Amino acid sequence: MKSVFSSPRALLWLAALGCVAVFLGVVVTLGLAPNSPQTRQDTSSGTSLIGGPFTLVDHTGQVRSHTDFLGKYSLIYFGYTYCPDVCPSALGIMTQALGQLDEAQLAKVQPLFITFDPERDTVEALEGYVSLFHPKLIGLTGTIEQTKAAAKAYRIYYAKSERDDSSDYLMDHTSLLYLMAPNGEYLKHFSEADGVAGLADFLKQTL
Ligand code: NI
């Protein structure tokens, strides 16, 4: 095994952590803004900056909107199926954490994988991908505009990283797993640093 600090994967995670730091900075700045009390009158909590309506298509071809998932907790991860490392790693953590829940807890949570690469992540591509991780995992894709709007609502950064030698491309992106409440409001987010135990423990306490 190579040193963790020299591996490309570690660098990707450092980049992701950088995005998280910037994101948290934005949240703190907005929260401390002088007019925030007035702003907050419009929302039921200071954390509702994350999340919102979306209309997408699931991995079976059914149109799905955010309202379809109200009434249960949602675990939402944004990614793309061609991702060589970060997405499979994060989804693997989710899979293992879900594996620690009992049947009643599992019934209260819906895991969702939303792509920001709909050009390659078709309904068929998602169908094969989600089955690798969990039988309950629902894959969601859509038009470029639809997936862009969903990612924006959840404050997810992503960008193509073009390569001259190939028509293939990788994508830089935020890697966060969001736990949303049954009413659709943001509850908490998890990164790879939380690990399986961090995610599983919180889910067991909450569900
Ligand atoms: Ni990825």
Side-chain angles (χ1 to χ4, degrees), residues 48 66 150 177 193 207:
S48 54
H66 62 289
L177 187 63
L207 300 174

Side-chain angles (χ1 to χ4, degrees), residues 12 77-90 113 116 129 171-175:
L12 280 170
Y77 187 80
F78 284 81
Y80 69 114
T81 67
Y82 280 71
C83 185
D85 38 32
V86 176
C87 296
S89 175
F113 174 79
F116 40 65
Y129 191 72
M171 299 183 83
D172 302 319
H173 65 91
T174 312
S175 178

Side-chain angles (χ1 to χ4, degrees), residues 12-23:
L12 280 170
W13 273 106
L14 283 175
L17 285 173
C19 291
V20 174
V22 169
F23 164 74

Side-chain angles (χ1 to χ4, degrees), residues 8 13 19 22 55 65 67 70 73 107 116 121 129 133 137 139 144 154 181 185 192:
W13 273 106
C19 291
V22 169
T55 303
S65 80
T67 56
L70 296 178
Y73 291 86
F116 40 65
D121 289 344
Y129 191 72
F133 293 99
L137 182 59
I144 292 174
Y154 284 82
E185 286 195 2
E192 186 166 25

Side-chain angles (χ1 to χ4, degrees), residues 121-203:
D121 289 344
T122 59
V123 166
E124 293 73 23
L126 285 182
E127 185 180 19
Y129 191 72
V130 295
S131 65
L132 298 173
F133 293 99
H134 200 276
K136 283 194 75 172
L137 182 59
I138 292 178
L140 295 167
T141 186
T143 64
I144 292 174
E145 291 72 24
Q146 285 172 329
T147 56
K148 189 176 178 181
K152 189 179 177 189
Y154 284 82
R155 303 297 190 268
I156 296 294
Y157 162 83
Y158 63 94
K160 281 183 188 176
S161 154
E162 302 283 359
R163 292 190 301 184
D164 293 341
D165 60 333
S166 169
S167 58
D168 247 358
Y169 55 87
L170 296 176
M171 299 183 83
D172 302 319
H173 65 91
T174 312
S175 178
L176 291 176
L177 187 63
Y178 289 117
L179 179 63
M180 308 298 287
N183 65 1
E185 286 195 2
Y186 166 89
L187 274 185
K188 190 171 170 62
H189 68 266
F190 302 87
S191 70
E192 186 166 25
D194 294 296
V196 175
L199 176 58
D201 289 349
F202 191 85
L203 290 177

